[in-house]
Amino acid sequence: MIIIKTAGDIINFFATTKVKTLTTGFVPTMGALHSGHISLITKAKKENDLVVCSIFVNPTQFNNAKDFEKYPVTIEQDIYLLEQAGCEVLFLPSVAEIYPNGLKTITHFELGFLDTVLEASFRPGHFQGVCQVVHRLLEIILPDKLYVGQKDFQQSMVLKKMAETNFPSLQIVICPTQREAGGLAMSSRNMRLTSTEKKHAVTISKALEYIKNNIMAGYIEDLKKNTIEYLSTQGFRVDYVEIADANTLKPLDYWNGKELIVVLIAAFLNEVRLIDNMIVND
Ligand code: AMP
Protein backbone atom coordinates (compact mmCIF):
# COMPACT_ATOMS: atom_id res chain seq x y z
CA MET A 1 0.00 0.00 0.00
CA ILE A 2 1.28 3.45 -0.89
CA ILE A 3 0.87 6.13 1.76
CA ILE A 4 0.46 9.63 0.35
CA LYS A 5 0.36 12.70 2.56
CA THR A 6 -0.11 15.69 0.28
CA ALA A 7 -2.79 16.73 -2.19
CA GLY A 8 -0.06 17.46 -4.75
CA ASP A 9 1.30 13.92 -4.52
CA ILE A 10 -2.16 12.38 -4.90
CA ILE A 11 -2.85 14.53 -7.96
CA ASN A 12 0.53 13.51 -9.46
CA PHE A 13 -0.17 9.87 -8.69
CA PHE A 14 -3.48 9.99 -10.55
CA ALA A 15 -1.95 11.94 -13.42
CA THR A 16 0.37 9.07 -14.40
CA THR A 17 -0.92 7.32 -17.51
CA LYS A 18 -0.77 3.95 -15.77
CA VAL A 19 -3.27 5.04 -13.14
CA LYS A 20 -5.43 7.28 -15.36
CA THR A 21 -7.23 4.36 -16.98
CA LEU A 22 -8.06 2.55 -13.73
CA THR A 23 -11.44 2.83 -12.01
CA THR A 24 -11.12 4.14 -8.48
CA GLY A 25 -13.20 3.44 -5.40
CA PHE A 26 -12.81 5.83 -2.48
CA VAL A 27 -13.49 5.20 1.23
CA PRO A 28 -13.17 8.31 3.42
CA THR A 29 -12.71 7.62 7.16
CA MET A 30 -11.55 9.20 10.37
CA GLY A 31 -9.41 6.19 11.26
CA ALA A 32 -9.58 3.97 14.36
CA LEU A 33 -10.62 1.39 11.81
CA HIS A 34 -12.77 -1.64 12.53
CA SER A 35 -14.50 -4.33 10.48
CA GLY A 36 -17.23 -1.86 9.47
CA HIS A 37 -14.68 0.31 7.66
CA ILE A 38 -12.96 -2.75 6.23
CA SER A 39 -16.27 -4.00 4.77
CA LEU A 40 -16.34 -0.80 2.69
CA ILE A 41 -12.77 -1.42 1.48
CA THR A 42 -13.64 -5.01 0.57
CA LYS A 43 -16.71 -3.92 -1.40
CA ALA A 44 -14.72 -1.19 -3.15
CA LYS A 45 -12.02 -3.74 -4.06
CA LYS A 46 -14.60 -5.97 -5.72
CA GLU A 47 -15.96 -3.12 -7.84
CA ASN A 48 -12.87 -1.10 -8.82
CA ASP A 49 -9.30 -1.46 -10.10
CA LEU A 50 -7.90 0.72 -7.35
CA VAL A 51 -9.03 1.52 -3.81
CA VAL A 52 -8.11 4.72 -2.00
CA CYS A 53 -8.85 5.12 1.71
CA SER A 54 -8.37 8.41 3.52
CA ILE A 55 -7.82 8.85 7.23
CA PHE A 56 -8.42 12.36 8.48
CA VAL A 57 -10.00 13.37 11.77
CA ASN A 58 -11.86 16.37 10.43
CA PRO A 59 -11.95 19.23 12.96
CA THR A 60 -14.76 21.10 11.20
CA GLN A 61 -17.34 18.35 11.71
CA PHE A 62 -16.99 18.22 15.50
CA ASN A 63 -19.43 20.49 17.28
CA ASN A 64 -17.98 19.40 20.63
CA ALA A 65 -14.29 20.13 21.36
CA LYS A 66 -14.02 17.27 23.89
CA ASP A 67 -15.35 14.76 21.36
CA PHE A 68 -12.67 15.90 18.90
CA GLU A 69 -9.87 15.72 21.50
CA LYS A 70 -10.93 12.26 22.61
CA TYR A 71 -11.46 10.82 19.13
CA PRO A 72 -9.43 7.56 19.07
CA VAL A 73 -6.28 7.46 16.93
CA THR A 74 -4.77 4.03 16.10
CA ILE A 75 -2.81 4.73 12.94
CA GLU A 76 -0.38 1.78 13.02
CA GLN A 77 -3.19 -0.72 13.50
CA ASP A 78 -5.17 1.10 10.74
CA ILE A 79 -2.30 0.74 8.26
CA TYR A 80 -2.02 -2.95 9.14
CA LEU A 81 -5.78 -3.54 8.60
CA LEU A 82 -5.79 -1.65 5.29
CA GLU A 83 -2.81 -3.64 4.03
CA GLN A 84 -4.52 -6.90 5.03
CA ALA A 85 -7.64 -5.80 3.16
CA GLY A 86 -5.64 -5.05 0.02
CA CYS A 87 -6.18 -1.29 -0.05
CA GLU A 88 -3.80 0.21 -2.62
CA VAL A 89 -3.54 3.83 -1.50
CA LEU A 90 -3.87 5.49 1.90
CA PHE A 91 -4.27 9.25 1.83
CA LEU A 92 -3.15 10.64 5.18
CA PRO A 93 -3.31 14.43 4.92
CA SER A 94 -2.59 17.10 7.52
CA VAL A 95 -5.15 19.78 8.42
CA ALA A 96 -3.17 22.26 6.25
CA GLU A 97 -3.49 19.98 3.19
CA ILE A 98 -7.26 19.78 3.55
CA TYR A 99 -7.81 23.38 4.61
CA PRO A 100 -5.02 25.34 2.86
CA ASN A 101 -6.86 28.61 3.53
CA GLY A 102 -7.46 27.87 7.20
CA LEU A 103 -10.37 26.38 9.11
CA LYS A 104 -12.52 29.48 8.91
CA THR A 105 -12.97 29.49 5.14
CA ILE A 106 -16.57 28.38 5.13
CA THR A 107 -18.20 27.18 1.94
CA HIS A 108 -21.91 26.76 2.51
CA PHE A 109 -23.47 23.61 1.10
CA GLU A 110 -27.18 23.74 0.36
CA LEU A 111 -28.57 20.62 2.03
CA GLY A 112 -32.14 21.78 2.61
CA PHE A 113 -34.29 19.81 5.06
CA LEU A 114 -31.50 17.29 5.76
CA ASP A 115 -29.50 20.04 7.45
CA THR A 116 -32.30 20.82 9.92
CA VAL A 117 -33.36 17.48 11.46
CA LEU A 118 -31.98 14.75 13.73
CA GLU A 119 -28.16 14.82 13.66
CA ALA A 120 -28.21 18.32 12.16
CA SER A 121 -30.36 19.72 14.95
CA PHE A 122 -28.32 18.08 17.73
CA ARG A 123 -24.93 18.76 16.10
CA PRO A 124 -25.18 22.21 14.50
CA GLY A 125 -22.68 22.66 11.67
CA HIS A 126 -21.78 18.96 11.63
CA PHE A 127 -22.92 18.23 8.07
CA GLN A 128 -21.41 21.43 6.72
CA GLY A 129 -18.07 20.15 8.11
CA VAL A 130 -18.65 16.69 6.63
CA CYS A 131 -19.39 18.23 3.23
CA GLN A 132 -16.34 20.50 3.40
CA VAL A 133 -13.96 17.62 3.96
CA VAL A 134 -15.59 15.14 1.57
CA HIS A 135 -15.88 17.78 -1.16
CA ARG A 136 -12.16 18.59 -0.81
CA LEU A 137 -11.20 14.90 -0.81
CA LEU A 138 -13.34 14.16 -3.87
CA GLU A 139 -11.84 17.15 -5.67
CA ILE A 140 -8.34 15.77 -5.07
CA ILE A 141 -9.03 12.07 -5.67
CA LEU A 142 -11.82 12.25 -8.28
CA PRO A 143 -12.98 8.65 -7.74
CA ASP A 144 -15.58 6.81 -9.82
CA LYS A 145 -17.36 5.48 -6.74
CA LEU A 146 -17.67 6.65 -3.14
CA TYR A 147 -18.29 4.03 -0.42
CA VAL A 148 -20.18 5.02 2.73
CA GLY A 149 -21.87 3.15 5.57
CA GLN A 150 -25.58 2.92 6.33
CA LYS A 151 -24.48 3.25 9.97
CA ASP A 152 -24.40 7.01 9.29
CA PHE A 153 -27.77 7.02 7.54
CA GLN A 154 -28.35 10.78 7.44
CA GLN A 155 -24.73 11.42 6.44
CA SER A 156 -25.07 9.15 3.43
CA MET A 157 -28.17 11.11 2.33
CA VAL A 158 -26.30 14.39 2.85
CA LEU A 159 -23.36 13.18 0.75
CA LYS A 160 -25.71 12.06 -2.02
CA LYS A 161 -27.23 15.54 -2.06
CA MET A 162 -23.85 17.27 -2.04
CA ALA A 163 -22.57 15.02 -4.84
CA GLU A 164 -25.70 15.50 -7.02
CA THR A 165 -24.71 19.15 -7.51
CA ASN A 166 -20.93 19.00 -7.27
CA PHE A 167 -19.93 15.58 -8.65
CA PRO A 168 -22.84 14.44 -10.83
CA SER A 169 -21.03 11.44 -12.33
CA LEU A 170 -19.95 10.04 -8.94
CA GLN A 171 -21.69 6.84 -7.88
CA ILE A 172 -22.40 6.50 -4.17
CA VAL A 173 -22.48 2.99 -2.75
CA ILE A 174 -24.15 2.59 0.64
CA CYS A 175 -22.88 -0.46 2.54
CA PRO A 176 -24.75 -2.32 5.31
CA THR A 177 -23.96 -1.68 8.98
CA GLN A 178 -21.52 -4.18 10.45
CA ARG A 179 -22.37 -5.26 13.98
CA GLU A 180 -20.70 -7.02 16.91
CA ALA A 181 -22.04 -10.52 17.68
CA GLY A 182 -24.60 -9.10 20.15
CA GLY A 183 -25.89 -6.52 17.67
CA LEU A 184 -23.97 -3.39 18.71
CA ALA A 185 -23.14 -1.34 15.60
CA MET A 186 -19.38 -1.17 15.16
CA SER A 187 -18.05 2.33 15.70
CA SER A 188 -14.69 3.93 16.41
CA ARG A 189 -16.33 5.60 19.40
CA ASN A 190 -16.97 2.13 20.94
CA MET A 191 -13.24 2.17 21.79
CA ARG A 192 -14.08 4.82 24.37
CA LEU A 193 -16.52 2.49 26.17
CA THR A 194 -15.48 0.28 29.09
CA SER A 195 -16.25 -3.41 28.65
CA THR A 196 -19.30 -3.06 30.93
CA GLU A 197 -20.53 -0.04 28.95
CA LYS A 198 -19.98 -1.91 25.69
CA LYS A 199 -22.21 -4.75 26.89
CA HIS A 200 -24.85 -2.23 27.94
CA ALA A 201 -24.62 -0.26 24.67
CA VAL A 202 -26.26 -3.19 22.88
CA THR A 203 -29.56 -1.91 24.36
CA ILE A 204 -29.68 0.61 21.48
CA SER A 205 -29.67 -2.01 18.72
CA LYS A 206 -32.12 -4.12 20.74
CA ALA A 207 -34.47 -1.12 20.92
CA LEU A 208 -34.21 -0.67 17.14
CA GLU A 209 -34.95 -4.35 16.61
CA TYR A 210 -37.91 -4.15 18.98
CA ILE A 211 -39.41 -1.30 16.95
CA LYS A 212 -38.63 -3.03 13.65
CA ASN A 213 -40.40 -6.20 14.81
CA ASN A 214 -43.37 -4.60 16.56
CA ILE A 215 -44.29 -1.54 14.53
CA MET A 216 -47.75 -1.63 12.95
CA ALA A 217 -49.50 0.66 10.52
CA GLY A 218 -51.21 3.54 12.33
CA TYR A 219 -50.09 6.11 14.90
CA ILE A 220 -46.51 5.46 15.99
CA GLU A 221 -45.88 8.34 18.43
CA ASP A 222 -46.27 6.13 21.50
CA LEU A 223 -43.75 3.62 20.22
CA LYS A 224 -41.18 6.43 19.96
CA LYS A 225 -42.12 7.92 23.35
CA ASN A 226 -42.00 4.54 25.10
CA THR A 227 -38.60 3.75 23.59
CA ILE A 228 -37.18 7.09 24.77
CA GLU A 229 -38.54 6.36 28.26
CA TYR A 230 -37.14 2.85 28.22
CA LEU A 231 -33.65 3.98 27.15
CA SER A 232 -33.71 6.71 29.80
CA THR A 233 -34.53 4.20 32.53
CA GLN A 234 -31.59 2.13 31.24
CA GLY A 235 -29.21 5.05 31.89
CA PHE A 236 -28.99 6.55 28.37
CA ARG A 237 -29.31 10.29 27.71
CA VAL A 238 -31.42 10.21 24.58
CA ASP A 239 -31.06 12.84 21.85
CA TYR A 240 -33.73 11.24 19.70
CA VAL A 241 -35.64 8.11 18.81
CA GLU A 242 -37.22 8.85 15.46
CA ILE A 243 -39.16 6.96 12.83
CA ALA A 244 -38.81 8.64 9.45
CA ASP A 245 -39.48 8.23 5.77
CA ALA A 246 -36.33 6.44 4.55
CA ASN A 247 -36.25 8.42 1.30
CA THR A 248 -36.71 11.93 2.71
CA LEU A 249 -35.95 11.55 6.44
CA LYS A 250 -39.24 13.34 7.23
CA PRO A 251 -40.27 12.25 10.77
CA LEU A 252 -43.56 10.37 10.89
CA ASP A 253 -46.21 10.17 13.59
CA TYR A 254 -48.41 8.01 11.41
CA TRP A 255 -47.30 5.12 9.20
CA ASN A 256 -49.47 3.85 6.37
CA GLY A 257 -47.82 0.43 6.59
CA LYS A 258 -46.35 0.73 3.10
CA GLU A 259 -43.84 3.55 2.85
CA LEU A 260 -40.19 2.64 3.42
CA ILE A 261 -39.27 3.79 6.92
CA VAL A 262 -36.14 3.94 9.04
CA VAL A 263 -35.80 4.01 12.82
CA LEU A 264 -32.94 6.15 14.09
CA ILE A 265 -31.53 6.51 17.59
CA ALA A 266 -28.90 8.82 19.04
CA ALA A 267 -28.10 8.54 22.73
CA PHE A 268 -25.27 9.12 25.16
CA LEU A 269 -23.99 6.34 27.35
CA ASN A 270 -22.10 8.37 29.95
CA GLU A 271 -19.67 10.50 27.89
CA VAL A 272 -19.98 8.66 24.60
CA ARG A 273 -22.60 9.52 21.99
CA LEU A 274 -23.80 6.53 19.97
CA ILE A 275 -25.94 6.46 16.84
CA ASP A 276 -27.60 3.57 15.06
CA ASN A 277 -30.50 2.93 12.70
CA MET A 278 -32.48 0.16 11.02
CA ILE A 279 -34.68 0.18 7.96
CA VAL A 280 -37.98 -1.42 8.95
CA ASN A 281 -39.35 -2.86 5.74
CA ASP A 282 -36.37 -3.50 3.44
P1 AMP B 1 -15.94 7.25 10.20
O1 AMP B 1 -14.51 6.82 10.29
O2 AMP B 1 -16.72 7.03 11.43
O3 AMP B 1 -16.06 8.65 9.64
O4 AMP B 1 -16.62 6.29 9.12
C1 AMP B 1 -16.12 6.17 7.83
C2 AMP B 1 -17.11 5.41 6.98
O5 AMP B 1 -17.30 4.11 7.54
C3 AMP B 1 -18.49 6.09 6.95
O6 AMP B 1 -19.03 5.99 5.65
C4 AMP B 1 -19.28 5.25 7.93
O7 AMP B 1 -20.68 5.25 7.69
C5 AMP B 1 -18.69 3.88 7.72
N1 AMP B 1 -18.93 3.03 8.90
C6 AMP B 1 -18.69 3.34 10.19
N2 AMP B 1 -19.09 2.34 11.00
C7 AMP B 1 -19.62 1.38 10.19
C8 AMP B 1 -20.22 0.11 10.42
N3 AMP B 1 -20.40 -0.38 11.65
N4 AMP B 1 -20.63 -0.61 9.35
C9 AMP B 1 -20.49 -0.12 8.08
N5 AMP B 1 -19.93 1.08 7.80
C10 AMP B 1 -19.50 1.82 8.83
Side-chain angles (χ1 to χ4, degrees):
M1 183 172 70
I2 311 170
I3 301 179
I4 299 180
K5 294 194 170 175
T6 68
D9 284 351
I10 277 270
I11 290 163
N12 287 340
F13 175 77
F14 281 108
T16 66
T17 41
K18 201 173 124 226
V19 177
K20 248 186 207 165
T21 54
L22 302 179
T23 58
T24 306
F26 174 45
V27 182
T29 81
M30 297 206 297
L33 302 183
H34 48 67
S35 305
H37 297 112
I38 298 303
S39 73
L40 272 53
I41 302 280
T42 308
K43 175 111 171 118
K45 275 215 59 99
K46 283 198 191 121
E47 300 180 352
N48 300 274
D49 301 321
L50 193 76
V51 175
V52 181
C53 175
S54 65
I55 295 182
F56 179 67
V57 185
N58 174 34
T60 66
Q61 74 185 68
F62 285 83
N63 54 313
N64 176 326
K66 234 190 190 165
D67 190 28
F68 178 55
E69 265 165 44
K70 296 206 166 169
Y71 201 84
V73 176
T74 59
I75 194 65
E76 277 169 25
Q77 167 78 358
D78 293 352
I79 291 171
Y80 172 78
L81 290 175
L82 289 173
E83 273 179 341
Q84 293 292 303
C87 179
E88 279 90 5
V89 180
L90 168 60
F91 184 40
L92 202 56
S94 64
V95 172
E97 284 296 325
I98 296 295
Y99 297 106
N101 303 317
L103 290 177
K104 296 219 162 76
T105 49
I106 305 295
T107 317
H108 183 78
F109 291 89
E110 196 41 63
L111 302 171
F113 178 70
L114 288 176
D115 210 9
T116 63
V117 280
L118 302 172
E119 287 302 283
S121 75
F122 285 93
R123 303 186 67 189
H126 171 64
F127 288 127
Q128 290 298 321
V130 169
C131 285
Q132 279 174 39
V133 69
V134 176
H135 184 279
R136 171 84 174 128
L137 290 165
L138 290 172
E139 219 172 36
I140 298 168
I141 295 163
L142 289 174
D144 300 282
K145 293 187 182 178
L146 174 70
Y147 292 80
V148 295
Q150 193 206 308
K151 159 79 168 49
D152 297 279
F153 192 88
Q154 189 171 1
Q155 174 172 285
S156 56
M157 292 177 84
V158 160
L159 291 176
K160 267 191 173 168
K161 186 156 178 76
M162 185 275 280
E164 264 166 29
T165 345
N166 297 280
F167 304 93
S169 64
L170 179 73
Q171 275 187 56
I172 301 195
V173 182
I174 300 176
C175 305
T177 304
Q178 301 299 307
R179 299 179 179 280
E180 307 284 356
L184 174 66
M186 290 178 180
S187 164
S188 304
R189 286 187 174 84
N190 294 352
M191 289 180 196
R192 292 181 54 203
L193 299 172
T194 63
S195 59
T196 316
E197 285 171 335
K198 214 172 157 184
K199 276 188 203 134
H200 193 49
V202 81
T203 312
I204 292 180
S205 60
K206 295 275 180 243
L208 288 170
E209 252 168 41
Y210 178 83
I211 295 179
K212 184 179 161 110
N213 295 332
N214 291 282
I215 192 166
M216 286 188 291
Y219 287 97
I220 52 180
E221 286 159 301
D222 283 351
L223 194 53
K224 294 193 251 181
K225 245 191 252 157
N226 294 342
T227 310
I228 293 173
E229 262 170 43
Y230 174 70
L231 289 172
S232 306
T233 62
Q234 293 298 307
F236 291 88
R237 189 151 50 83
V238 181
D239 274 354
Y240 57 80
V241 171
E242 194 52 85
I243 302 171
D245 182 313
N247 294 310
T248 62
L249 220 59
K250 287 250 156 66
L252 299 172
D253 286 333
Y254 181 88
W255 181 42
N256 65 12
K258 292 187 197 115
E259 56 204 331
L260 190 67
I261 54 173
V262 57
V263 193
L264 308 108
I265 295 181
F268 282 88
L269 181 52
N270 300 325
E271 292 286 294
V272 183
R273 187 173 185 274
L274 301 165
I275 61 169
D276 196 358
N277 67 83
M278 277 182 201
I279 294 180
V280 169
N281 43 348
D282 52 356

